[in-house]
Amino acid sequence: MELLILISACKTASARRITAVIPFFPYSRYSFKDKSRAPITAKLVANMLAVAGCDHVITMDLHASQIQGFFDIPVDNLYSEPVMVGFIKRWIKGWRNAIIVSPDAGGAKRASSIADRLGCEFALIHRKKGKVDNVEKMEILVGDVRGKIVILVDDMIDTGDTLYLATTTLHENGAEAIFVLVSHCTMQANFPSLKKLSSLPIARLVVTNTLPQTHLLDGVNEEQGETITDGDATDHPVTVNGTGQDAEEGTKHRGVNGRSTLSRRASMMSNGIGSGGTSSMAGKLTVLDISPLLAESIRRTHNGESISLLFGDWAERAGMAGYGQ
């Protein structure tokens, strides 16, 4: 509602163009009727933005791509996928032999896309209810995770039930290490499932800051007694794809905080996560900062430039530069 009021105020003040930057699009799960008389709330939100006077929408990782069709105005749906790919290449040791896993059929396209970019294997988990006890269970339909580094990819954590079932299933099937990468985390403070996340058999939970995650940092890392902080700077500049490009190139791309997206401080040792060495990151949670991606999209939109660059190598380099928070 506050966003709608701001848009309306700008419109009545004769603003030439109004762009709404919405990292997490609200009610994106309600994009279709799952039963009779159910509302399509995402369509309602789109209508309200247009009526209020919005001319352009910038968002990230829509739960359903068809939401873009709810608008009669331009919509730029940015992806966190390149940032996550950069993070995997930078921080997960042994990623070349990893397997990318989707926890459900709906996320198969996203996971397979990341697997193709990395040249890794792909696996799919199926969720079903037991015939006798009616308890939800998961089974691996495609792929073999035994003895491999598993990277579980999903677009959203809400209650954490899917994550709990998926990681438990992967662990029972012999996964060597489990990393979870999620675009949006909507879990609130004091949510019962926060305790679940701390006890899951995962090496690292990686989320983006499309929503503030301060409470999650405190909740997930409570048992370790400390939260994630920046560690010492790496001894060597960040290299991109092994070409020897140094961080000075990143000075061309400044984030909203004024730091280079390629030369910000690193918080993990250069041997990577999962290497068995000591990491300068405590706990299980990492928050990827997507503000440079949004800032660059705003700059390019304002100057009338193409944003195609943000779907490829530029965003991937930002992910390789550091984890953010």
Side-chain angles (χ1 to χ4, degrees), residues 85-153:
V85 168
F87 178 88
I88 292 170
K89 289 181 177 180
R90 173 66 172 168
W91 299 122
I92 300 181
K93 185 176 182 180
W95 62 267
R96 297 182 188 278
N97 298 318
I99 184 169
I100 313 299
V101 180
S102 172
D104 51 48
K109 184 178 180 180
R110 181 186 308 106
S112 62
S113 177
I114 293 178
D116 290 342
R117 292 180 69 133
L118 294 172
C120 297
E121 297 181 48
F122 166 75
L124 176 64
I125 298 178
H126 174 59
R127 187 173 182 172
K128 65 177 182 178
K129 288 187 177 181
K131 295 181 179 179
V132 179
D133 52 11
N134 203 34
V135 177
E136 285 191 316
K137 300 177 182 179
M138 284 189 171
E139 60 180 4
I140 299 176
L141 286 182
V142 179
D144 181 16
V145 301
R146 187 168 301 279
K148 296 179 181 178
I149 295 175
V150 174
I151 302 175
L152 184 69
V153 179

Side-chain angles (χ1 to χ4, degrees), residues 224-273:
Q224 285 75 16
E226 51 186 327
T227 58
I228 298 172
T229 57
D230 281 342
D232 297 332
T234 53
D235 295 331
H236 305 286
V238 175
T239 58
V240 181
N241 299 328
T243 59
Q245 285 179 284
D246 58 31
E248 291 180 0
E249 181 181 343
T251 57
K252 300 175 184 177
H253 305 288
R254 296 284 174 177
V256 293
N257 53 9
R259 292 185 300 170
S260 166
T261 58
L262 293 182
S263 60
R264 64 181 53 172
R265 289 181 297 164
S267 66
M268 301 180 189
M269 295 183 67
S270 58
N271 59 355
I273 311 175

Side-chain angles (χ1 to χ4, degrees), residues 183-199:
S183 301
H184 309 293
C185 182
T186 62
M187 299 180 74
Q188 300 300 313
N190 301 320
F191 202 80
S193 294
L194 282 178
K195 296 295 182 182
K196 271 188 183 180
L197 295 182
S198 296
S199 60

Side-chain angles (χ1 to χ4, degrees), residues 197-205 220-221 224 282-286:
L197 295 182
S198 296
S199 60
L200 286 178
I202 59 176
R204 184 71 53 179
L205 171 62
V220 173
N221 298 312
Q224 285 75 16
K284 291 184 178 181
L285 183 67
T286 297

Side-chain angles (χ1 to χ4, degrees), residues 7 11 18-20 22 48-57 71 73:
I7 293 172
K11 194 69 174 178
I18 301 173
T19 300
I22 311 173
M48 289 193 296
L49 288 170
V51 171
C54 184
D55 300 307
H56 185 195
V57 173
F71 291 88
I73 57 177

